[in-house]
Coordinates of all heavy atoms in Angstrom, one line a residue:
L1 N 0.9 -1.2 -0.1 CA 0.1 -0.1 0.0 C 0.8 1.2 0.0 O 0.5 2.3 -0.5 CB -0.9 -0.1 1.2 CG -1.9 -1.1 1.4 CD1 -2.6 -0.9 2.7 CD2 -2.9 -1.0 0.2
G2 N 1.9 1.3 0.8 CA 2.8 2.5 0.7 C 2.4 3.3 2.1 O 1.4 3.3 2.4
R3 N 3.5 4.0 2.5 CA 3.3 4.8 3.8 C 2.3 5.9 3.6 O 1.5 6.1 4.6 CB 4.6 5.4 4.1 CG 5.3 6.3 3.2 CD 6.6 6.8 3.7 NE 6.7 7.8 4.7 CZ 7.1 7.6 5.8 NH1 7.8 6.4 6.2 NH2 7.1 8.5 6.8
N4 N 2.1 6.5 2.5 CA 1.1 7.7 2.3 C -0.4 7.1 2.5 O -1.2 7.8 3.0 CB 1.3 8.3 1.0 CG 2.5 9.2 0.9 OD1 2.9 9.6 1.9 ND2 3.0 9.5 -0.2
T5 N -0.6 5.9 1.9 CA -2.0 5.2 2.0 C -2.2 5.0 3.5 O -3.4 5.3 4.1 CB -2.0 3.9 1.3 OG1 -1.8 4.3 -0.1 CG2 -3.4 3.3 1.4
W6 N -1.3 4.6 4.3 CA -1.5 4.3 5.7 C -1.7 5.6 6.5 O -2.5 5.8 7.3 CB -0.2 3.5 6.3 CG -0.2 2.1 6.0 CD1 0.6 1.6 5.0 CD2 -1.1 1.1 6.4 NE1 0.4 0.1 4.9 CE2 -0.7 -0.2 5.7 CE3 -2.1 1.0 7.4 CZ2 -1.3 -1.3 6.0 CZ3 -2.7 -0.2 7.6 CH2 -2.2 -1.4 7.0
K7 N -0.9 6.6 6.1 CA -1.0 7.9 6.9 C -2.4 8.5 6.5 O -2.9 9.1 7.4 CB 0.2 8.8 6.4 CG 1.5 8.5 7.0 CD 2.6 9.4 6.5 CE 2.4 10.8 7.1 NZ 3.5 11.6 6.9
N8 N -2.9 8.3 5.3 CA -4.1 9.0 4.9 C -5.4 8.2 5.8 O -6.4 8.9 6.0 CB -4.6 8.7 3.5 CG -3.8 9.7 2.6 OD1 -3.5 10.7 3.0 ND2 -3.7 9.2 1.5
L9 N -5.1 7.0 6.4 CA -6.1 6.4 7.4 C -6.3 7.4 8.5 O -7.4 7.3 9.1 CB -5.7 5.1 7.7 CG -5.8 4.0 6.6 CD1 -5.3 2.6 7.0 CD2 -7.3 3.8 6.2
I10 N -5.2 8.0 8.9 CA -5.2 8.8 10.2 C -5.6 10.3 9.8 O -6.2 10.9 10.5 CB -3.8 8.8 11.0 CG1 -3.5 7.3 11.2 CG2 -3.8 9.6 12.1 CD1 -4.3 6.7 12.3
G11 N -5.1 10.7 8.7 CA -5.4 12.0 8.3 C -4.1 13.0 8.4 O -3.0 12.4 8.5
S12 N -4.4 14.2 8.3 CA -3.2 15.1 8.2 C -2.2 15.2 9.5 O -1.1 15.7 9.5 CB -3.7 16.6 8.0 OG -4.5 17.0 9.1
R13 N -2.6 14.7 10.7 CA -2.0 14.6 11.9 C -0.9 13.5 11.8 O -0.1 13.4 12.7 CB -2.8 14.6 13.1 CG -3.7 15.9 13.3 CD -4.6 15.9 14.3 NE -4.1 15.3 15.5 CZ -4.8 14.4 16.4 NH1 -6.0 14.2 16.3 NH2 -4.1 14.0 17.5
A14 N -1.2 12.5 11.0 CA -0.3 11.3 11.0 C 1.2 11.6 10.9 O 1.5 12.5 10.4 CB -0.7 10.3 9.8
S15 N 1.9 10.7 11.6 CA 3.4 10.8 11.7 C 4.0 9.4 11.5 O 3.7 8.5 12.3 CB 3.8 11.7 12.8 OG 5.3 11.8 12.8
L16 N 5.1 9.3 10.7 CA 5.9 8.1 10.8 C 7.5 8.5 10.6 O 7.7 9.5 9.8 CB 5.6 7.3 9.6 CG 4.5 6.3 9.6 CD1 4.2 5.5 8.3 CD2 4.6 5.2 10.9
Q17 N 8.4 7.8 11.2 CA 9.7 7.9 10.8 C 10.0 7.6 9.5 O 9.3 6.7 8.9 CB 10.5 7.0 12.0 CG 10.4 7.5 13.4 CD 10.9 6.6 14.3 OE1 10.6 5.4 14.3 NE2 11.9 7.0 15.1
P18 N 11.0 8.3 8.9 CA 11.2 7.9 7.4 C 11.8 6.6 6.9 O 11.5 6.4 5.7 CB 12.4 9.0 7.1 CG 13.0 9.2 8.4 CD 12.1 8.9 9.5
N19 N 12.4 5.8 7.8 CA 12.9 4.5 7.2 C 12.1 3.3 7.7 O 11.2 3.4 8.4 CB 14.3 4.5 7.8 CG 15.2 5.5 7.2 OD1 15.2 5.8 6.1 ND2 16.0 6.2 8.2
C20 N 12.6 2.3 7.3 CA 12.0 0.9 7.6 C 10.9 0.6 6.6 O 11.0 -0.1 5.7 CB 11.7 0.6 9.1 SG 10.9 -1.0 9.3
N21 N 9.7 1.2 7.0 CA 8.4 1.1 6.1 C 8.0 -0.3 5.9 O 7.5 -0.7 4.8 CB 8.6 1.8 4.7 CG 8.8 3.3 4.9 OD1 8.1 4.1 5.6 ND2 10.0 3.8 4.3
K22 N 8.3 -1.1 6.9 CA 7.8 -2.5 6.8 C 6.3 -2.4 7.1 O 5.7 -2.1 8.0 CB 8.4 -3.3 7.9 CG 8.2 -4.8 8.0 CD 9.0 -5.4 9.1 CE 9.4 -6.9 8.8 NZ 10.2 -7.5 10.0
E23 N 5.5 -3.1 6.1 CA 4.1 -3.1 6.2 C 3.5 -4.5 5.9 O 4.1 -5.3 5.3 CB 3.6 -1.9 5.2 CG 3.9 -2.3 3.8 CD 3.3 -1.2 2.8 OE1 2.2 -0.9 3.0 OE2 4.0 -0.9 2.0
G24 N 2.2 -4.5 6.2 CA 1.4 -5.7 6.0 C 1.1 -6.4 7.3 O 0.9 -5.7 8.3
F25 N 0.9 -7.8 7.4 CA 0.5 -8.5 8.4 C 1.7 -8.9 9.3 O 2.7 -9.2 8.9 CB -0.2 -9.8 8.1 CG -1.4 -9.5 7.2 CD1 -1.5 -9.6 5.8 CD2 -2.6 -9.4 7.8 CE1 -2.6 -9.3 5.2 CE2 -3.7 -9.3 7.1 CZ -3.8 -9.3 5.9
N26 N 1.5 -8.8 10.7 CA 2.5 -9.1 11.6 C 3.9 -8.3 11.4 O 4.8 -9.1 11.5 CB 2.7 -10.6 11.6 CG 1.4 -11.3 12.1 OD1 0.8 -10.8 13.0 ND2 1.1 -12.4 11.5
A27 N 3.7 -7.1 11.2 CA 5.0 -6.2 10.9 C 5.6 -6.1 12.4 O 4.9 -5.7 13.4 CB 4.6 -4.9 10.4
I28 N 6.9 -6.4 12.5 CA 7.5 -6.4 13.8 C 9.0 -6.2 13.6 O 9.6 -6.6 12.6 CB 7.3 -7.7 14.7 CG1 7.6 -7.5 16.0 CG2 7.8 -8.9 13.9 CD1 7.2 -8.6 17.0
G29 N 9.7 -5.5 14.6 CA 11.1 -5.3 14.5 C 11.8 -6.6 15.1 O 11.2 -7.7 15.2
A30 N 13.0 -6.4 15.5 CA 13.8 -7.5 16.2 C 13.3 -8.0 17.6 O 13.6 -9.0 17.9 CB 15.3 -7.2 16.2
S31 N 12.6 -7.1 18.2 CA 12.2 -7.4 19.6 C 10.6 -6.8 19.7 O 10.3 -5.9 19.1 CB 13.0 -6.6 20.5 OG 12.5 -6.6 21.7
T32 N 9.9 -7.6 20.5 CA 8.5 -7.2 20.7 C 8.4 -6.1 21.6 O 7.3 -5.5 21.7 CB 7.8 -8.4 21.4 OG1 8.4 -8.9 22.6 CG2 7.7 -9.6 20.4
R33 N 9.6 -5.6 22.2 CA 9.3 -4.4 23.0 C 9.2 -3.1 22.0 O 8.9 -2.0 22.5 CB 10.5 -4.2 24.0 CG 11.9 -3.8 23.4 CD 12.9 -3.7 24.4 NE 14.2 -3.3 24.0 CZ 14.5 -2.1 23.8 NH1 13.8 -1.0 24.4 NH2 15.7 -1.7 23.5
H34 N 9.7 -3.2 20.9 CA 9.6 -2.0 19.9 C 8.3 -2.0 19.2 O 7.5 -3.1 19.3 CB 10.7 -2.2 18.8 CG 12.1 -1.8 19.5 ND1 12.6 -0.7 19.8 CD2 13.1 -2.8 19.7 CE1 13.7 -0.9 20.3 NE2 14.1 -2.2 20.2
S35 N 7.9 -1.0 18.4 CA 6.7 -1.0 17.7 C 6.4 -2.2 16.9 O 7.2 -2.8 16.2 CB 6.6 0.3 16.7 OG 6.5 1.3 17.5
K36 N 5.0 -2.6 17.0 CA 4.7 -3.7 16.2 C 3.2 -3.5 15.7 O 2.6 -2.8 16.4 CB 4.7 -5.1 16.9 CG 3.9 -5.0 18.2 CD 4.3 -6.1 19.2 CE 3.6 -5.8 20.6 NZ 4.3 -6.7 21.5
A37 N 2.9 -4.1 14.7 CA 1.5 -4.0 14.3 C 0.9 -5.4 13.7 O 1.6 -6.1 12.8 CB 1.4 -2.9 13.2
R38 N -0.2 -5.8 14.1 CA -0.9 -7.0 13.5 C -1.2 -6.8 12.0 O -0.9 -7.5 11.1 CB -2.1 -7.3 14.2 CG -2.8 -8.6 13.7 CD -2.0 -9.8 14.1 NE -1.9 -10.0 15.4 CZ -1.0 -10.8 16.0 NH1 -0.2 -11.4 15.3 NH2 -1.0 -11.0 17.4
I39 N -1.8 -5.5 11.7 CA -2.0 -5.1 10.4 C -1.5 -3.7 10.3 O -2.1 -2.8 11.0 CB -3.5 -5.3 9.9 CG1 -3.9 -6.5 10.0 CG2 -3.6 -4.7 8.3 CD1 -5.4 -6.8 9.8
G40 N -0.5 -3.2 9.5 CA 0.0 -1.9 9.6 C 1.4 -1.7 8.9 O 1.8 -2.4 8.2
I41 N 2.0 -0.5 9.4 CA 3.2 -0.1 8.9 C 4.1 0.3 10.0 O 3.5 0.9 11.0 CB 3.1 1.0 7.7 CG1 4.5 1.3 7.1 CG2 2.5 2.2 8.3 CD1 4.4 2.1 5.9
L42 N 5.3 0.0 10.0 CA 6.3 0.5 10.9 C 7.3 1.5 10.4 O 7.7 1.5 9.2 CB 7.2 -0.6 11.5 CG 6.5 -1.9 12.0 CD1 7.4 -2.9 12.4 CD2 5.6 -1.5 13.2
G43 N 7.7 2.4 11.2 CA 8.9 3.4 10.8 C 10.0 3.4 11.7 O 9.8 2.9 13.0
N44 N 11.1 3.8 11.2 CA 12.3 3.9 12.2 C 13.2 5.1 11.8 O 13.3 5.5 10.5 CB 13.1 2.5 12.1 CG 14.1 2.4 13.2 OD1 14.1 3.2 14.2 ND2 14.9 1.4 13.1
E45 N 13.8 5.7 12.7 CA 14.8 6.8 12.3 C 16.1 6.3 11.8 O 16.8 7.0 10.9 CB 15.1 7.8 13.4 CG 16.0 7.4 14.5 CD 15.4 6.4 15.7 OE1 14.3 5.9 15.4 OE2 16.1 6.3 16.6
Q46 N 16.6 5.1 12.3 CA 17.7 4.4 11.6 C 17.3 3.8 10.2 O 16.2 3.4 10.0 CB 18.3 3.3 12.4 CG 19.1 4.0 13.7 CD 18.1 3.8 14.9 OE1 17.1 3.1 14.9 NE2 18.4 4.5 15.9
N47 N 18.3 3.6 9.4 CA 18.0 2.9 8.1 C 18.0 1.2 8.2 O 18.8 0.7 7.6 CB 19.0 3.2 7.0 CG 18.6 3.0 5.6 OD1 17.5 2.9 5.3 ND2 19.5 2.9 4.7
E48 N 17.2 0.8 9.2 CA 16.9 -0.6 9.4 C 15.5 -0.7 10.1 O 14.9 0.1 10.5 CB 18.0 -1.2 10.1 CG 18.4 -0.4 11.3 CD 17.9 -0.6 12.7 OE1 16.8 -1.1 12.7 OE2 18.4 0.0 13.7
C49 N 15.1 -2.0 10.3 CA 13.9 -2.2 10.9 C 14.0 -3.0 12.2 O 13.0 -3.6 12.6 CB 13.1 -3.2 9.9 SG 12.4 -2.3 8.6
R50 N 15.2 -3.1 12.8 CA 15.4 -3.8 14.1 C 14.7 -3.1 15.4 O 14.2 -3.7 16.2 CB 16.7 -4.0 14.4 CG 17.6 -4.9 13.5 CD 18.9 -5.2 13.9 NE 19.7 -4.1 13.9 CZ 20.5 -3.4 13.0 NH1 20.7 -4.1 11.9 NH2 21.2 -2.4 13.2
S51 N 14.7 -1.7 15.3 CA 14.1 -1.0 16.5 C 13.2 0.2 16.0 O 13.4 1.3 16.4 CB 15.3 -0.5 17.2 OG 16.1 0.4 16.4
P52 N 12.0 -0.2 15.5 CA 11.0 0.8 15.0 C 10.4 1.5 16.2 O 10.1 0.9 17.2 CB 10.1 0.1 14.0 CG 10.1 -1.3 14.7 CD 11.6 -1.5 15.1
D53 N 10.3 2.8 16.0 CA 9.5 3.7 17.2 C 8.4 4.3 16.6 O 7.9 5.2 17.3 CB 10.6 4.8 17.6 CG 11.9 4.3 18.1 OD1 11.8 3.3 19.0 OD2 12.9 4.7 17.7
S54 N 7.9 3.9 15.6 CA 6.6 4.6 15.1 C 5.9 3.6 14.2 O 6.4 2.5 13.7 CB 7.0 5.7 14.1 OG 7.5 5.4 13.0
R55 N 4.5 3.8 14.3 CA 3.6 2.7 13.7 C 2.3 3.4 13.3 O 2.0 4.3 13.9 CB 3.5 1.4 14.5 CG 2.7 2.0 15.8 CD 2.6 0.8 16.8 NE 2.0 1.1 18.0 CZ 2.6 1.3 19.3 NH1 4.0 1.2 19.2 NH2 1.9 1.6 20.3
I56 N 1.6 2.8 12.3 CA 0.2 3.0 12.1 C -0.4 1.7 11.9 O 0.2 0.8 11.1 CB -0.1 4.0 10.9 CG1 0.6 5.3 11.1 CG2 -1.5 4.0 10.6 CD1 0.5 6.3 9.9
G57 N -1.6 1.4 12.4 CA -2.2 0.2 12.2 C -3.3 -0.3 13.1 O -3.7 0.4 14.0
F58 N -3.6 -1.6 13.0 CA -4.6 -2.3 13.8 C -3.8 -3.3 14.6 O -3.0 -3.9 14.0 CB -5.6 -2.9 13.0 CG -6.3 -2.0 12.0 CD1 -5.9 -1.8 10.7 CD2 -7.6 -1.5 12.4 CE1 -6.6 -0.9 10.0 CE2 -8.3 -0.7 11.6 CZ -7.8 -0.3 10.3
G59 N -4.2 -3.5 15.9 CA -3.5 -4.5 16.7 C -2.0 -4.1 16.9 O -1.1 -4.9 16.9
T60 N -1.8 -2.7 17.2 CA -0.6 -2.4 17.5 C 0.0 -2.4 18.9 O -0.9 -2.6 19.8 CB -0.5 -0.8 16.9 OG1 -1.3 0.0 17.6 CG2 -0.7 -0.8 15.5
G61 N 1.1 -2.3 19.2 CA 1.7 -2.3 20.7 C 3.2 -2.1 20.6 O 3.7 -1.8 19.5
G62 N 3.7 -2.2 21.7 CA 5.2 -1.8 21.8 C 5.5 -0.4 22.1 O 4.7 0.3 22.5
H63 N 6.8 -0.1 22.1 CA 7.3 1.2 22.3 C 6.9 2.2 21.3 O 6.8 1.7 20.1 CB 8.9 1.0 22.2 CG 9.5 2.3 22.6 ND1 9.5 3.0 23.8 CD2 10.2 3.2 21.9 CE1 10.2 4.1 23.8 NE2 10.6 4.3 22.5
P64 N 6.4 3.3 21.5 CA 6.6 4.1 22.7 C 5.2 4.0 23.6 O 5.3 4.4 24.7 CB 6.7 5.5 22.2 CG 5.8 5.6 21.0 CD 6.0 4.2 20.3
D65 N 4.2 3.4 23.2 CA 3.0 3.4 24.0 C 2.4 2.0 23.8 O 1.6 1.8 22.8 CB 2.0 4.5 23.8 CG 0.7 4.5 24.7 OD1 0.7 3.6 25.6 OD2 -0.2 5.4 24.3
D66 N 2.6 1.1 24.8 CA 2.0 -0.4 24.4 C 0.5 -0.4 24.7 O 0.0 -1.4 24.4 CB 2.8 -1.2 25.5 CG 2.5 -2.7 25.1 OD1 2.6 -3.1 23.9 OD2 2.4 -3.5 26.0
S67 N -0.1 0.6 25.3 CA -1.5 0.6 25.5 C -2.3 1.1 24.2 O -3.6 1.0 24.2 CB -1.9 1.5 26.6 OG -1.8 2.9 26.4
S68 N -1.7 1.5 23.2 CA -2.2 2.1 22.1 C -2.4 0.8 21.0 O -1.3 0.6 20.3 CB -1.4 3.2 21.5 OG -2.1 3.8 20.3
T69 N -3.5 0.4 20.9 CA -3.7 -0.9 20.1 C -4.3 -0.6 18.7 O -4.2 -1.5 17.8 CB -4.7 -1.8 20.8 OG1 -6.0 -1.1 20.9 CG2 -4.2 -2.2 22.0
C70 N -4.7 0.6 18.4 CA -5.1 1.0 17.1 C -4.9 2.6 16.9 O -5.2 3.3 17.6 CB -6.6 0.7 16.9 SG -7.3 0.9 15.2
G71 N -4.3 2.9 15.8 CA -3.9 4.3 15.5 C -2.6 4.6 15.2 O -2.0 3.8 14.3
N72 N -1.9 5.6 15.6 CA -0.7 6.1 15.1 C 0.2 6.6 16.4 O -0.3 7.4 17.1 CB -0.9 7.3 14.2 CG 0.4 7.9 13.7 OD1 0.4 9.1 13.3 ND2 1.5 7.2 13.7
D73 N 1.3 6.0 16.5 CA 2.2 6.3 17.5 C 3.8 6.7 16.8 O 4.1 5.8 15.9 CB 2.5 5.2 18.6 CG 1.5 5.3 19.6 OD1 1.5 6.2 20.4 OD2 0.7 4.4 19.5
A74 N 4.3 7.7 17.2 CA 5.7 8.1 16.6 C 6.3 8.9 17.5 O 5.9 9.8 18.2 CB 5.4 8.8 15.4
I75 N 7.8 8.5 17.7 CA 8.6 9.4 18.5 C 9.9 9.5 17.7 O 10.1 8.7 16.8 CB 8.9 9.0 19.9 CG1 9.5 7.5 19.9 CG2 7.6 9.0 20.7 CD1 9.9 7.1 21.2
S76 N 10.8 10.3 18.2 CA 12.3 10.2 17.6 C 12.4 10.6 16.1 O 12.8 9.7 15.4 CB 13.0 9.0 17.9 OG 13.0 8.7 19.3
G77 N 11.8 11.6 15.6 CA 12.0 12.0 14.2 C 10.8 11.6 13.3 O 11.1 11.4 12.1
G78 N 9.6 11.5 13.8 CA 8.5 11.4 12.8 C 8.4 12.5 12.0 O 8.6 13.6 12.3
D79 N 7.8 12.2 10.7 CA 7.9 13.2 9.7 C 6.8 14.3 10.0 O 6.8 15.3 9.4 CB 7.7 12.7 8.3 CG 6.4 11.8 8.1 OD1 5.6 11.7 9.1 OD2 6.3 11.3 7.2
N80 N 6.0 14.1 11.0 CA 5.0 15.1 11.4 C 5.1 15.2 12.9 O 4.0 15.5 13.6 CB 3.6 14.8 10.8 CG 2.6 15.9 10.9 OD1 3.0 17.1 11.0 ND2 1.4 15.7 10.9
G81 N 6.3 15.1 13.5 CA 6.4 15.3 14.9 C 6.0 13.9 15.7 O 5.6 13.0 15.2
D82 N 6.1 14.1 17.1 CA 5.8 13.0 17.9 C 4.3 13.0 18.0 O 3.6 14.0 18.1 CB 6.4 13.2 19.4 CG 7.9 13.1 19.4 OD1 8.4 12.8 18.3 OD2 8.5 13.3 20.4
K83 N 3.8 11.8 17.9 CA 2.2 11.5 17.9 C 1.8 10.3 18.8 O 2.6 9.4 18.9 CB 1.7 11.3 16.6 CG 2.0 12.4 15.6 CD 1.2 13.7 15.9 CE 1.6 14.9 14.8 NZ 0.9 16.0 15.2
N84 N 0.7 10.4 19.4 CA 0.0 9.4 20.1 C -1.5 9.5 19.7 O -2.2 10.2 20.4 CB 0.3 9.4 21.6 CG -0.4 8.2 22.3 OD1 -1.6 8.0 22.2 ND2 0.5 7.5 22.9
I85 N -1.9 9.0 18.6 CA -3.3 9.1 18.2 C -4.0 7.8 18.3 O -3.7 6.8 17.5 CB -3.3 9.7 16.7 CG1 -2.6 10.9 16.6 CG2 -4.8 9.8 16.2 CD1 -2.4 11.4 15.1
K86 N -4.8 7.7 19.2 CA -5.6 6.5 19.3 C -6.8 6.5 18.5 O -7.4 7.6 18.3 CB -6.0 6.2 20.8 CG -4.7 6.2 21.7 CD -5.0 5.7 23.1 CE -3.8 5.7 23.8 NZ -3.8 4.9 25.1
A87 N -7.2 5.4 17.8 CA -8.3 5.3 16.9 C -9.1 4.0 17.3 O -8.7 3.1 17.9 CB -7.7 5.2 15.5
M88 N -10.3 3.9 16.7 CA -11.0 2.8 16.7 C -11.3 2.3 15.2 O -11.4 3.2 14.4 CB -12.4 3.1 17.3 CG -13.1 1.7 17.5 SD -14.9 2.1 17.9 CE -15.7 1.6 16.4
G89 N -10.9 1.1 14.9 CA -11.1 0.6 13.6 C -11.6 -0.8 13.5 O -11.6 -1.5 14.6
Y90 N -12.2 -1.3 12.4 CA -12.6 -2.6 12.2 C -12.4 -3.1 10.9 O -12.1 -2.3 10.0 CB -14.2 -2.7 12.6 CG -15.0 -1.9 11.7 CD1 -15.5 -2.3 10.4 CD2 -15.2 -0.5 12.0 CE1 -16.3 -1.6 9.8 CE2 -16.1 0.3 11.2 CZ -16.6 -0.2 10.0 OH -17.4 0.5 9.2
I91 N -12.2 -4.3 10.7 CA -11.7 -4.9 9.5 C -12.8 -5.8 8.9 O -13.4 -6.5 9.6 CB -10.4 -5.7 9.6 CG1 -9.4 -4.9 10.2 CG2 -10.1 -6.4 8.4 CD1 -8.2 -5.4 10.7

């Protein structure tokens, strides 16, 4: 789908770090403590996917806010600043 399609689900406030862009089902970095998404996209400030700090999607969790299960979380260089946008979605 690409990062812009995922960001459009949230709207103009959406933010993702510029690298990684791992998307689809069960997107996860090297550790479950980092951002993860059952269905979604991950972003990272480093040019790798081991430690993502941003995400948009459904069934999300991990750093920076493990209680945010649907929506957009981003820290450390998101393209639209740090965000914690909780959403409700269904598939």
Side-chain angles (χ1 to χ4, degrees):
L1 295 173
R3 63 186 285 119
N4 288 334
T5 301
W6 287 105
K7 288 179 71 175
N8 283 334
L9 289 174
I10 302 297
S12 62
R13 294 178 38 216
S15 184
L16 277 174
Q17 293 167 304
N19 300 311
C20 181
N21 298 306
K22 187 178 204 179
E23 63 181 311
F25 294 95
N26 298 319
I28 190 167
S31 160
T32 57
R33 73 179 186 92
H34 293 289
S35 283
K36 57 191 171 196
R38 182 70 63 200
I39 302 170
I41 186 169
L42 305 178
N44 198 6
E45 78 275 16
Q46 291 101 12
N47 196 20
E48 42 90 345
C49 289
R50 290 186 305 268
S51 57
D53 300 311
S54 65
R55 63 185 181 257
I56 295 174
F58 302 89
T60 61
H63 184 69
D65 180 3
D66 198 40
S67 71
S68 182
T69 59
C70 184
N72 178 205
D73 280 287
I75 62 167
S76 302
D79 58 6
N80 198 18
D82 292 356
K83 299 291 178 184
N84 182 300
I85 302 170
K86 296 186 183 204
M88 188 190 110
Y90 60 92
I91 300 167

